[in-house]
Amino acid sequence: MLTMIRYTSYLLPLRFSKGDFRTLATADFLFLFSEFFRTFKVLSLRNHPETRRMNRVEGLRANSSQFTLERKPFLILGGSIHYFRVPRAYWEDRLLKMKACGLNTLTTYVPWNLHEPERGVFKFDDQLDLEAYLRLAASLGLWVILRPGPYICAEWDLGGLPSWLLRDPQMKLRTTYSGFTYAVNSFFDEVIKKAVPHQYSKGGPIIAVQVENEYGSYATDENYMPFIKEALLSRGITELLLTSDNKDGLKLGGVKGGIVRLPQQPKMVMEYWSGWFDLWGGLHHVYTAEGKTCFIFTNLDMSINLYMFHGGTNFGFMSGAFALYMADWSDYDAPLSEAGDYTTKYHLLRNLFSHYHTQPLPELPSVHERRAYQPAVIQQHISLWDSLRFTDKPFKSERPVNMENLPVNNNNGQSYGYTLYETTITSGGALKSQNNVRDRALVFVDKHFVGVLDYTVQELAVPDGKGKRTLGLLVENCGRVNYGKTLDEQRKGLVGDILLNEHPLRDFNIHSLDMKPAFVNRLESAGHWMSMRHQPSFPGFFQGRLYVNGSPQDTFIKLPGWSKGVVFINGKNLGRYWSTGPQQTLYVPGPWLHRGDNQFFSETADLL
């Protein structure tokens, strides 16, 4: 067992000042690399396709100051590309670009919440075909470090854990609580049997498997990491096991018998952040290519995993949260952009990594063309209130019920999207959320917008009126926290009482609007849409067409003047948009389009 260091930008033990590498021009920086390598004897990397045909005797080992593979020195030059963040049609393109950069190892997480969206229902097809991804990596001459969780962090909703776990009010995530370990065992029964045949010892590309992820930063149960380790071993994992933690978590994140920062052990940065994630309402993070490359330059004997090498996109509602809600692009300011374009950072790294190889690197794959199409034409609209007839029958409850505990989706609860809570009121007054709105509620009285309740605004005035009126709270799940010690608290919707004039509201009709394909399809084909000649009401749904002439190419959608919502193209959920930024566009992969008319479908939560 080997414990790896997880370096993020704020943990780097390097400081830069005027006159150092960070301030050098790119040309000077490359010249310094070239001069340095004249006197640097580079490790011979076993990353060529012929290694696949060798007679395998001994896999990756960490028994000396260097990693060894087949008892020969091996330097891991890794990069993270997550199959679930990249359209399957582009898997090969992104991995070829990784190979052409000089990397020899692919690392990927495995998202439990996508593979088991409902308890006992497993998905490993199409975009989630893990084995196809592993076979592709092998065919391209890349080794693989697999990170199967069950917790992955990954800036992903609930760190990859399925939300149905939270239906149990006693749930203790990432512990040996029986409700959690039972679910982990069930998931591992399915996912590990997919991985076992692709291990190095069986002729596959997997040279190492990570045990959980960053547990040292959580560390609430000393028996948990041994449980996960045994769960892997007992199901046939035989390759090198490793853990990943930041500096402060190293002492707590390993398992018994693990190796922690011993001088005679190889060094590896398991997550060297190539950039950083973005939060809604914040700034886009950009880190200088020279500064990031300098760390590798000054640690040439250290194995490394670039996190991320290509960030991809958090399609759908899968973004996590970290104090604020994470944007849907997963760009990370990585060497490959969200659309797979080369960056300055990529070219600097390629020049650096080329010196680790005895043969020239592969030619750079061509960049996919992009097109700026004519604006999508919005043709029809339907209000939220008229769309409710296409949802499942509302659930009646005396008290508010959080999303995860709603009796929907075969009693797995609601994972993502919106939930509408309606009740009857007979007066106006002070409406107080008591911080029980998770995460953001649009408040209506008789379908008229009153205001917003969220973590910053927890009280608003409901206007007076005559007789009985309907109070509605449309609550959006903006993403569950993916890192830290509040995972058990990530239930969404209304998680407790809402007060009107200090009295708790009761007797709710609760509508689940999880925006799943079945609902979207029913709504798109409904006969209740209004033409744009009629004044739209908000929140609502808008339908239109995007015309593609010729072969479809990648593009981006921008919604100037629109406030907040979700966009679908041909039934694919591209993700959220929000005028607060920093993300201003949504990536549209060419393979998701077709020649001619393409169906554009937008849910608009806020007033324009």
Side-chain angles (χ1 to χ4, degrees), residues 425-431 445-446 448 450 460-469 471 500-501:
I425 59 174
T426 56
S427 70
L431 187 69
V445 175
D446 284 342
H448 296 288
V450 174
L460 59 81
V462 174
D464 290 324
K466 296 180 180 180
K468 294 182 178 180
R469 295 177 297 164
L471 176 73
L500 180 61
N501 299 324

Side-chain angles (χ1 to χ4, degrees), residues 178-213:
S178 60
F180 185 68
T181 57
Y182 179 86
V184 170
N185 280 324
S186 177
F187 172 59
F188 272 16
D189 283 345
E190 297 298 322
V191 71
I192 301 305
K193 72 181 180 184
K194 302 284 187 184
V196 164
H198 301 280
Q199 294 182 102
Y200 180 87
S201 59
K202 297 182 181 295
I206 298 175
I207 56 174
V209 175
Q210 184 174 301
V211 184
E212 235 266 352
N213 190 48

Side-chain angles (χ1 to χ4, degrees), residues 403-450:
M403 284 185 177
E404 296 80 4
N405 285 98
L406 291 174
V408 297
N409 297 315
N410 301 310
N411 283 321
N412 285 274
Q414 180 180 344
S415 296
Y416 314 108
Y418 305 82
T419 306
L420 176 64
Y421 298 82
E422 292 186 314
T423 187
T424 300
I425 59 174
T426 56
S427 70
L431 187 69
K432 297 181 180 180
S433 72
Q434 304 188 104
N435 199 30
N436 286 326
V437 169
R438 307 290 169 81
D439 293 298
R440 188 171 184 269
L442 303 184
V443 182
F444 301 86
V445 175
D446 284 342
K447 303 178 183 178
H448 296 288
F449 179 69
V450 174

Side-chain angles (χ1 to χ4, degrees), residues 211-238:
V211 184
E212 235 266 352
N213 190 48
E214 302 167 8
Y215 195 67
S217 300
Y218 196 77
T220 61
D221 185 341
E222 64 181 10
N223 297 316
Y224 176 66
M225 287 295 281
F227 159 72
I228 297 297
K229 176 185 175 183
E230 180 57 28
L232 295 170
L233 296 177
S234 64
R235 288 168 174 83
I237 294 298
T238 58

Side-chain angles (χ1 to χ4, degrees), residues 21 35 64 175 203 258 307 314 332 351 365 367 430 463 470 498 513 526 565 597:
F21 289 117
E35 289 300 304
S64 65
T175 70
Y307 189 94
N314 296 325
Y332 290 91
N351 183 76
V367 175
T470 299
I498 306 297
L513 287 154
D597 285 340

Side-chain angles (χ1 to χ4, degrees), residues 299-591:
N299 291 273
L300 291 168
D301 61 339
M302 178 183 289
S303 288
I304 195 167
N305 174 50
L306 295 172
Y307 189 94
M308 302 286 294
F309 181 76
H310 169 56
T313 307
N314 296 325
F315 295 112
F317 297 110
M318 301 313 298
S319 296
F322 187 81
L324 296 174
Y325 313 117
M326 291 183 178
D328 281 10
W329 63 5
S330 187
D331 180 79
Y332 290 91
D333 191 34
L336 280 183
S337 75
E338 182 183 21
D341 296 333
Y342 301 113
T343 65
T344 300
K345 198 173 293 181
Y346 179 97
H347 292 297
L348 281 172
L349 288 168
R350 186 171 191 262
N351 183 76
L352 169 60
F353 292 143
S354 68
H355 296 282
Y356 287 76
H357 296 262
T358 57
Q359 300 295 323
L361 294 179
E363 292 294 320
L364 290 177
S366 60
V367 175
H368 287 280
E369 292 185 26
R370 287 206 296 273
R371 293 224 19 216
Y373 296 106
Q374 291 298 312
V377 179
I378 305 301
Q379 299 168 318
Q380 304 177 95
H381 64 88
I382 187 172
S383 73
L384 167 73
W385 320 108
D386 289 335
S387 74
L388 295 178
R389 70 187 71 188
F390 303 104
T391 65
D392 293 334
K393 184 177 179 181
F395 173 61
K396 296 182 183 296
S397 174
E398 180 186 3
R399 298 171 181 269
V401 178
N402 57 284
M403 284 185 177
E404 296 80 4
N405 285 98
L406 291 174
V408 297
N409 297 315
N410 301 310
N411 283 321
N412 285 274
Q414 180 180 344
S415 296
Y416 314 108
Y418 305 82
T419 306
L420 176 64
Y421 298 82
E422 292 186 314
T423 187
T424 300
I425 59 174
T426 56
S427 70
L431 187 69
K432 297 181 180 180
S433 72
Q434 304 188 104
N435 199 30
N436 286 326
V437 169
R438 307 290 169 81
D439 293 298
R440 188 171 184 269
L442 303 184
V443 182
F444 301 86
V445 175
D446 284 342
K447 303 178 183 178
H448 296 288
F449 179 69
V450 174
V452 175
L453 292 172
D454 58 17
Y455 68 96
T456 61
V457 178
Q458 298 186 25
E459 181 177 348
L460 59 81
V462 174
D464 290 324
K466 296 180 180 180
K468 294 182 178 180
R469 295 177 297 164
T470 299
L471 176 73
L473 293 94
L474 180 64
V475 184
E476 178 186 1
N477 168 6
C478 296
R480 296 180 181 86
V481 166
N482 56 270
Y483 179 82
K485 298 190 177 184
T486 63
L487 296 179
D488 293 340
E489 303 167 17
Q490 295 307 304
R491 294 171 180 87
K492 298 296 183 177
L494 295 184
V495 299
D497 284 336
I498 306 297
L499 304 182
L500 180 61
N501 299 324
E502 304 302 328
H503 296 289
L505 296 173
R506 291 291 182 260
D507 299 321
F508 289 90
N509 282 335
I510 306 175
H511 302 262
S512 174
L513 287 154
D514 53 10
M515 307 295 287
K516 285 190 171 182
F519 166 73
V520 173
N521 292 337
R522 287 196 302 271
L523 190 58
E524 283 182 338
S525 59
H528 297 75
W529 292 83
M530 304 287 287
S531 76
M532 293 304 294
R533 292 192 300 270
H534 298 86
Q535 180 69 29
S537 64
F538 299 92
F541 298 89
F542 293 79
Q543 191 172 187
R545 66 179 179 88
L546 171 69
Y547 184 75
V548 173
N549 56 339
S551 178
Q553 307 291 345
D554 287 0
T555 191
F556 287 83
I557 286 181
K558 190 172 185 178
L559 296 102
W562 297 63
S563 178
K564 193 176 193 303
V566 185
V567 174
F568 294 76
I569 285 284
N570 297 330
K572 300 279 191 181
N573 188 338
L574 299 180
R576 305 175 179 94
Y577 63 88
W578 196 355
S579 59
T580 188
Q583 181 176 345
Q584 299 295 323
T585 59
L586 289 169
Y587 173 53
V588 185

